[in-house]
Amino acid sequence: MELFANLALGFSVALSPETLALAVAGCILGTMIGALPGLGPSNGVAILIPLAFSFGLDATHSLVLMTAVYYGAMYGGRISSILLNIPGDEPAMMTTLDGYPMAKAGRAGDALVLSGVASFVGAFLATIGLMLLAPILARVAFMFGPAEYFALYLLAFCTLGGLGSNNQAKAAISVCLGLGIAMIGVDKSTGLTRFTGGSLHLFDGVDFLVAIVGLFAVAEVFVFIESHGRDSAIGVKLEKIRIPVKDIMNSGWTMLRGTGIGFVAGLLPGAGASLGSFLAYMLEKSTARDKSTFGTGEPRGIAAPEAGNNAAAGGALVPMLTLGVPGSGTTAVLLALLMTLNITPGPLLFTERPEVVWGLIASLLIANVVLLILNVPLVRVFSRILQVPAAVLLPGVTMISFVGIYSLSGSYFDLLLMIGFGVLGYVLRKLSIPAVPVILGILLGGHMEVSLRRAMVLSDGDWTYLFASPISIGLWIAAVAGFILPLFLRPYLRTPARVTPDDDADRDRG
Amino acid sequence: MSDRITGLIVAVLALAFAAGASQLEEPFFADPLGPKAFPLLISAVAFLAGATMVMRPDAEPAWPGLATLTRLAIATVILVAYAYALKPLGFLLPTAIASAALSYQIRPRAGQSVIIGLALAGGLFVIFKYALGLGLFALPRWLMG
C-alpha cells in the first residue's frame, strides 16, 4: 500500500495548477520539437535546459517540464518520420520504414493515429513499469558500494559503445574523450588542478551543459548547412483524420510486445530508445507470418517501433533516477539537468526527496493522456510545423542556444567553448564517432574516478577489491559481454534499408 | 585515410594526456590511487582505441567539397563573432545580422535572409525578455546610458 501513498503524494504535487500547466506546456513544446525535422528529444531538451534555469523553476517543476518535453518529443518524432521520411533522431528512424510508405499510399492520417496510439500504449505502460520497478531497484542500489558503482559506470560505457556504434574503437575514443574532458579542473579529493593549461576559465572544469548544447544543437547547424536544408519541404499530403479501428485492433498485441521489449532495452544502461525501437521492429517482422508486407506500409511495422521507442524512453528513466546512470542521450541530458539542480539521483533520492520522484511519475501519467489528445485529434495542427523552412529554424535554434548558455554564465569563454564543441560534434558525426558517449563521459567521469579511488581507499590499494562482491562480478561480466557480443551479433543486427525518395521510382517499376 | 589520421591524432593526444598526468605533483596526503592513476587509465584506453583505428579504418566518409567547407568556415566565423558581439552591442543588432547570415548560408536568397534575421531578432527578444524574463540588453550599452 506504500505505492498508493506515494502515488497520492505524487498526484498532490502533479495536480497543483502550476505543475499541471508546466506539464501541458512541456507536452506541447515537446511535440513541436519532435515534429521539427532534424530536431529530436536530445537536442530539443538540451537547448531548453538553460532557459528553464533562467526561468527560475524549482527542482520538481523543471524536472516535470523537461520530462514532459522529452516524452512529447518522443511522440512528435513520428510526425516527421511518417510525413517527410526524415526521422527527428535515431529512435524515430525505424518508424520511417513502414510509416512513410503507408503515408505515400494515401493513408498518412491512419499512420499518424495508429502511431500516436502505439506511442501512448508504450509510454503509459512504461511509466507504470517505472513506478513499480524504480523503488525496488532503488532498494537494491543501497547495497552498491564504490566498487559496484565503478563497475556500473563501466557497464554503461561498454553497452553504449557496443550497441550504439558500429565500431568499438570509435566508441571507446568517444568515451575517453568525454572522460578526459571530465578530468579538467580542480581534483576534489586533493585540491590539485589538472589539465587546465593554467587557464582560470577551466578551474571549475568544463560545464557539461556547454558541451551538450554544442555537441547536439550547434553541430546540427553545421550538418544542416552542409545538407543545404535540401531535405525539408517534400512530403506527403495529410487527408482527413479518422480512427483506423481495424488497424489498431490488429496491432494490439504488437504494441504490447513492442512495449515489453522497449522497456527492457531502455533499462539497460547505455542502450536506450534506439535499441528498443529496433528490436521491437525486428521481432515483429521475424515473427510475422507474411514478412513481405514489412517495409511497404505494414501497420504493425509502425505500431511496434513506436510502442518500443516510447516504452524505452520510460524504461531509461529507471536507471537514471535510481542509479544516476542514463540509458540514452536524452536521459543523459536530463541527468545533467538534475546535477545542475544539485539533486543527486540514486537511492537516496527516493527516500529523501519523494515529492520529486513521485511528483515526476504522476506528472508523466498525466502528460501521457495530454499527449494522446495532442497527438491524435490535434495532429493536423502539429503537422503544419513541418513547413517551417530550415533557413528559419536553424538560425533560431542557434540563437536560442547562445542566449541559453550566455544566460547561465554570462561569459564569452563558454560561448566559444560551445562553438568548439559544435565543430567537434560535426567532425565526429562525419567520422561516424558517436557523440553521446562524450556527454556521458563528461557527466560521469568525475563520479567514476571518485568511486574507483574510494574503492582503493577501502581496500588500501588492493585491486582485487573491484571484483570482490557478486554484484560487481555480475556487472563486470555484463560489461565485457555488452562490449564484445555485438561484434558477433552485428551481421544479424543490420538495419533494413530505408525508402529514400530516389528509390521509389525503382520500387514502383519493380 | 580519414580514420587513420584521426586514429593517429587520438594516439598522440593520448600520449600528451598521459604526459600531462604523470607530471602532476603527488600531494603529501593522497589516497592510495592519487590524482594520476585514472587519467593514465583513460589515456591507455584512448591510445589502444586510436591504434586500432589506424590499423583497421572504416570506409572513407563523404567529406563536403571546397564550396561547402567555405560555407562551414564562414558559419563558424559568424558564430565566433556573434559570441564576442553579444555583450558590447546588445541583443538585437548582432542577432539580426548573425541569423540573416546563417540563413543565407542555408538558402542563399538575400531579401529573404534579411527578413528572417529581423523577424528572429525581434521575436526572440520579445520571448526572452518578456516571457522568460531574461535580463537582456536590447541595444549597445553606450546607447542605453
Side-chain angles (χ1 to χ4, degrees), chain B residues 44-71:
Chain B
V45 176
F47 184 82
L48 284 178
T52 314
M53 240 175 115
V54 173
M55 241 80 94
R56 303 187 54 188
D58 287 344
E60 185 67 15
W63 289 103
L66 196 62
T68 308
L69 278 182
T70 319
R71 279 215 311 277

mmCIF file of all heavy atoms in Angstrom, chain B residues 44-71:
data_model
loop_
_atom_site.group_PDB
_atom_site.id
_atom_site.type_symbol
_atom_site.label_atom_id
_atom_site.label_comp_id
_atom_site.label_asym_id
_atom_site.label_seq_id
_atom_site.Cartn_x
_atom_site.Cartn_y
_atom_site.Cartn_z
ATOM 1 N N ALA B 44 45.546 5.288 -21.614
ATOM 2 C CA ALA B 44 45.906 3.965 -22.131
ATOM 3 C C ALA B 44 44.804 3.430 -23.043
ATOM 4 O O ALA B 44 45.069 2.957 -24.157
ATOM 5 C CB ALA B 44 46.150 3.003 -20.969
ATOM 6 N N VAL B 45 43.545 3.527 -22.573
ATOM 7 C CA VAL B 45 42.428 3.037 -23.386
ATOM 8 C C VAL B 45 42.339 3.830 -24.691
ATOM 9 O O VAL B 45 42.177 3.268 -25.780
ATOM 10 C CB VAL B 45 41.103 3.137 -22.600
ATOM 11 C CG1 VAL B 45 39.930 2.730 -23.483
ATOM 12 C CG2 VAL B 45 41.150 2.276 -21.367
ATOM 13 N N ALA B 46 42.490 5.164 -24.582
ATOM 14 C CA ALA B 46 42.390 6.001 -25.775
ATOM 15 C C ALA B 46 43.498 5.657 -26.763
ATOM 16 O O ALA B 46 43.267 5.597 -27.976
ATOM 17 C CB ALA B 46 42.463 7.480 -25.393
ATOM 18 N N PHE B 47 44.712 5.393 -26.241
ATOM 19 C CA PHE B 47 45.820 5.055 -27.130
ATOM 20 C C PHE B 47 45.519 3.766 -27.897
ATOM 21 O O PHE B 47 45.693 3.687 -29.110
ATOM 22 C CB PHE B 47 47.114 4.912 -26.326
ATOM 23 C CG PHE B 47 48.317 4.650 -27.185
ATOM 24 C CD1 PHE B 47 48.967 5.711 -27.812
ATOM 25 C CD2 PHE B 47 48.790 3.367 -27.379
ATOM 26 C CE1 PHE B 47 50.064 5.477 -28.626
ATOM 27 C CE2 PHE B 47 49.885 3.133 -28.190
ATOM 28 C CZ PHE B 47 50.523 4.189 -28.811
ATOM 29 N N LEU B 48 45.032 2.748 -27.156
ATOM 30 C CA LEU B 48 44.692 1.476 -27.801
ATOM 31 C C LEU B 48 43.621 1.674 -28.873
ATOM 32 O O LEU B 48 43.726 1.153 -29.985
ATOM 33 C CB LEU B 48 44.192 0.475 -26.752
ATOM 34 C CG LEU B 48 45.268 -0.156 -25.883
ATOM 35 C CD1 LEU B 48 44.633 -1.080 -24.863
ATOM 36 C CD2 LEU B 48 46.253 -0.918 -26.762
ATOM 37 N N ALA B 49 42.587 2.451 -28.518
ATOM 38 C CA ALA B 49 41.494 2.656 -29.469
ATOM 39 C C ALA B 49 41.992 3.413 -30.702
ATOM 40 O O ALA B 49 41.628 3.079 -31.840
ATOM 41 C CB ALA B 49 40.356 3.421 -28.798
ATOM 42 N N GLY B 50 42.853 4.428 -30.487
ATOM 43 C CA GLY B 50 43.405 5.175 -31.617
ATOM 44 C C GLY B 50 44.236 4.266 -32.511
ATOM 45 O O GLY B 50 44.112 4.296 -33.742
ATOM 46 N N ALA B 51 45.063 3.415 -31.883
ATOM 47 C CA ALA B 51 45.895 2.491 -32.660
ATOM 48 C C ALA B 51 45.022 1.534 -33.461
ATOM 49 O O ALA B 51 45.307 1.232 -34.625
ATOM 50 C CB ALA B 51 46.815 1.718 -31.723
ATOM 51 N N THR B 52 43.917 1.069 -32.842
ATOM 52 C CA THR B 52 43.005 0.178 -33.566
ATOM 53 C C THR B 52 42.436 0.872 -34.799
ATOM 54 O O THR B 52 42.282 0.270 -35.859
ATOM 55 C CB THR B 52 41.841 -0.248 -32.647
ATOM 56 O OG1 THR B 52 42.374 -0.621 -31.393
ATOM 57 C CG2 THR B 52 41.063 -1.396 -33.249
ATOM 58 N N MET B 53 42.118 2.167 -34.629
ATOM 59 C CA MET B 53 41.557 2.903 -35.761
ATOM 60 C C MET B 53 42.567 3.050 -36.892
ATOM 61 O O MET B 53 42.207 3.018 -38.061
ATOM 62 C CB MET B 53 41.118 4.292 -35.282
ATOM 63 C CG MET B 53 39.637 4.546 -35.478
ATOM 64 S SD MET B 53 39.185 6.118 -34.764
ATOM 65 C CE MET B 53 38.702 7.005 -36.230
ATOM 66 N N VAL B 54 43.856 3.224 -36.517
ATOM 67 C CA VAL B 54 44.886 3.311 -37.551
ATOM 68 C C VAL B 54 44.997 1.981 -38.288
ATOM 69 O O VAL B 54 45.090 1.921 -39.513
ATOM 70 C CB VAL B 54 46.244 3.691 -36.927
ATOM 71 C CG1 VAL B 54 47.347 3.625 -37.968
ATOM 72 C CG2 VAL B 54 46.176 5.069 -36.308
ATOM 73 N N MET B 55 44.933 0.890 -37.495
ATOM 74 C CA MET B 55 45.105 -0.444 -38.064
ATOM 75 C C MET B 55 43.910 -0.865 -38.915
ATOM 76 O O MET B 55 44.072 -1.427 -39.983
ATOM 77 C CB MET B 55 45.285 -1.449 -36.927
ATOM 78 C CG MET B 55 46.603 -2.183 -36.952
ATOM 79 S SD MET B 55 47.903 -1.177 -36.281
ATOM 80 C CE MET B 55 47.881 -1.748 -34.588
ATOM 81 N N ARG B 56 42.714 -0.617 -38.398
ATOM 82 C CA ARG B 56 41.523 -1.117 -39.090
ATOM 83 C C ARG B 56 40.549 0.029 -39.364
ATOM 84 O O ARG B 56 39.524 0.156 -38.708
ATOM 85 C CB ARG B 56 40.840 -2.189 -38.230
ATOM 86 C CG ARG B 56 41.760 -3.345 -37.877
ATOM 87 C CD ARG B 56 41.009 -4.451 -37.185
ATOM 88 N NE ARG B 56 39.848 -4.880 -37.964
ATOM 89 C CZ ARG B 56 38.929 -5.731 -37.495
ATOM 90 N NH1 ARG B 56 39.013 -6.180 -36.275
ATOM 91 N NH2 ARG B 56 37.915 -6.079 -38.258
ATOM 92 N N PRO B 57 40.831 0.861 -40.350
ATOM 93 C CA PRO B 57 39.948 2.007 -40.629
ATOM 94 C C PRO B 57 38.659 1.574 -41.326
ATOM 95 O O PRO B 57 38.632 0.547 -42.006
ATOM 96 C CB PRO B 57 40.805 2.873 -41.564
ATOM 97 C CG PRO B 57 41.753 1.935 -42.210
ATOM 98 C CD PRO B 57 41.963 0.783 -41.279
ATOM 99 N N ASP B 58 37.613 2.360 -41.126
ATOM 100 C CA ASP B 58 36.349 2.140 -41.841
ATOM 101 C C ASP B 58 36.459 2.739 -43.239
ATOM 102 O O ASP B 58 37.460 3.344 -43.594
ATOM 103 C CB ASP B 58 35.197 2.841 -41.105
ATOM 104 C CG ASP B 58 34.823 2.105 -39.820
ATOM 105 O OD1 ASP B 58 35.229 0.938 -39.680
ATOM 106 O OD2 ASP B 58 34.134 2.716 -38.987
ATOM 107 N N ALA B 59 35.384 2.606 -43.992
ATOM 108 C CA ALA B 59 35.333 3.229 -45.316
ATOM 109 C C ALA B 59 35.430 4.751 -45.168
ATOM 110 O O ALA B 59 35.028 5.308 -44.155
ATOM 111 C CB ALA B 59 34.041 2.851 -46.014
ATOM 112 N N GLU B 60 35.973 5.396 -46.172
ATOM 113 C CA GLU B 60 36.167 6.841 -46.148
ATOM 114 C C GLU B 60 34.821 7.576 -46.095
ATOM 115 O O GLU B 60 33.929 7.290 -46.878
ATOM 116 C CB GLU B 60 36.939 7.236 -47.410
ATOM 117 C CG GLU B 60 37.347 8.678 -47.508
ATOM 118 C CD GLU B 60 38.395 9.093 -46.485
ATOM 119 O OE1 GLU B 60 39.023 8.208 -45.870
ATOM 120 O OE2 GLU B 60 38.554 10.306 -46.299
ATOM 121 N N PRO B 61 34.652 8.505 -45.129
ATOM 122 C CA PRO B 61 33.399 9.261 -45.109
ATOM 123 C C PRO B 61 33.335 10.246 -46.274
ATOM 124 O O PRO B 61 34.356 10.586 -46.860
ATOM 125 C CB PRO B 61 33.451 10.000 -43.768
ATOM 126 C CG PRO B 61 34.884 10.105 -43.442
ATOM 127 C CD PRO B 61 35.552 8.895 -44.041
ATOM 128 N N ALA B 62 32.126 10.698 -46.599
ATOM 129 C CA ALA B 62 31.957 11.657 -47.695
ATOM 130 C C ALA B 62 32.179 13.062 -47.160
ATOM 131 O O ALA B 62 31.289 13.648 -46.554
ATOM 132 C CB ALA B 62 30.565 11.524 -48.282
ATOM 133 N N TRP B 63 33.399 13.596 -47.349
ATOM 134 C CA TRP B 63 33.671 14.963 -46.903
ATOM 135 C C TRP B 63 33.047 15.939 -47.887
ATOM 136 O O TRP B 63 33.002 15.669 -49.076
ATOM 137 C CB TRP B 63 35.175 15.199 -46.785
ATOM 138 C CG TRP B 63 35.778 14.466 -45.640
ATOM 139 C CD1 TRP B 63 36.503 13.309 -45.721
ATOM 140 C CD2 TRP B 63 35.686 14.790 -44.257
ATOM 141 N NE1 TRP B 63 36.867 12.903 -44.461
ATOM 142 C CE2 TRP B 63 36.383 13.791 -43.540
ATOM 143 C CE3 TRP B 63 35.077 15.831 -43.551
ATOM 144 C CZ2 TRP B 63 36.487 13.806 -42.154
ATOM 145 C CZ3 TRP B 63 35.185 15.833 -42.169
ATOM 146 C CH2 TRP B 63 35.887 14.832 -41.477
ATOM 147 N N PRO B 64 32.586 17.070 -47.380
ATOM 148 C CA PRO B 64 31.988 18.042 -48.298
ATOM 149 C C PRO B 64 33.050 18.674 -49.192
ATOM 150 O O PRO B 64 34.237 18.657 -48.870
ATOM 151 C CB PRO B 64 31.371 19.090 -47.360
ATOM 152 C CG PRO B 64 32.099 18.939 -46.079
ATOM 153 C CD PRO B 64 32.509 17.507 -45.985
ATOM 154 N N GLY B 65 32.639 19.229 -50.322
ATOM 155 C CA GLY B 65 33.559 19.869 -51.252
ATOM 156 C C GLY B 65 34.041 21.212 -50.730
ATOM 157 O O GLY B 65 33.618 21.671 -49.663
ATOM 158 N N LEU B 66 34.914 21.845 -51.502
ATOM 159 C CA LEU B 66 35.534 23.087 -51.069
ATOM 160 C C LEU B 66 34.488 24.182 -50.828
ATOM 161 O O LEU B 66 34.566 24.929 -49.839
ATOM 162 C CB LEU B 66 36.549 23.545 -52.123
ATOM 163 C CG LEU B 66 37.536 24.608 -51.642
ATOM 164 C CD1 LEU B 66 38.377 24.066 -50.500
ATOM 165 C CD2 LEU B 66 38.428 25.062 -52.793
ATOM 166 N N ALA B 67 33.484 24.260 -51.710
ATOM 167 C CA ALA B 67 32.469 25.305 -51.584
ATOM 168 C C ALA B 67 31.734 25.177 -50.248
ATOM 169 O O ALA B 67 31.549 26.160 -49.521
ATOM 170 C CB ALA B 67 31.484 25.210 -52.737
ATOM 171 N N THR B 68 31.341 23.932 -49.922
ATOM 172 C CA THR B 68 30.626 23.714 -48.662
ATOM 173 C C THR B 68 31.537 23.975 -47.470
ATOM 174 O O THR B 68 31.116 24.569 -46.478
ATOM 175 C CB THR B 68 30.086 22.274 -48.608
ATOM 176 O OG1 THR B 68 29.359 22.033 -49.805
ATOM 177 C CG2 THR B 68 29.186 22.072 -47.429
ATOM 178 N N LEU B 69 32.802 23.543 -47.578
ATOM 179 C CA LEU B 69 33.743 23.785 -46.482
ATOM 180 C C LEU B 69 33.876 25.279 -46.219
ATOM 181 O O LEU B 69 33.925 25.724 -45.068
ATOM 182 C CB LEU B 69 35.106 23.186 -46.806
ATOM 183 C CG LEU B 69 35.248 21.688 -46.533
ATOM 184 C CD1 LEU B 69 36.663 21.229 -46.858
ATOM 185 C CD2 LEU B 69 34.919 21.364 -45.082
ATOM 186 N N THR B 70 33.920 26.057 -47.308
ATOM 187 C CA THR B 70 33.997 27.511 -47.140
ATOM 188 C C THR B 70 32.769 28.015 -46.406
ATOM 189 O O THR B 70 32.872 28.837 -45.484
ATOM 190 C CB THR B 70 34.069 28.203 -48.524
ATOM 191 O OG1 THR B 70 34.930 27.450 -49.355
ATOM 192 C CG2 THR B 70 34.557 29.620 -48.399
ATOM 193 N N ARG B 71 31.580 27.524 -46.803
ATOM 194 C CA ARG B 71 30.352 27.959 -46.127
ATOM 195 C C ARG B 71 30.391 27.599 -44.645
ATOM 196 O O ARG B 71 29.972 28.368 -43.785
ATOM 197 C CB ARG B 71 29.128 27.320 -46.781
ATOM 198 C CG ARG B 71 28.676 28.024 -48.041
ATOM 199 C CD ARG B 71 27.161 28.000 -48.172
ATOM 200 N NE ARG B 71 26.590 26.684 -47.968
ATOM 201 C CZ ARG B 71 26.531 25.759 -48.924
ATOM 202 N NH1 ARG B 71 26.992 26.009 -50.112
ATOM 203 N NH2 ARG B 71 26.000 24.583 -48.668
#
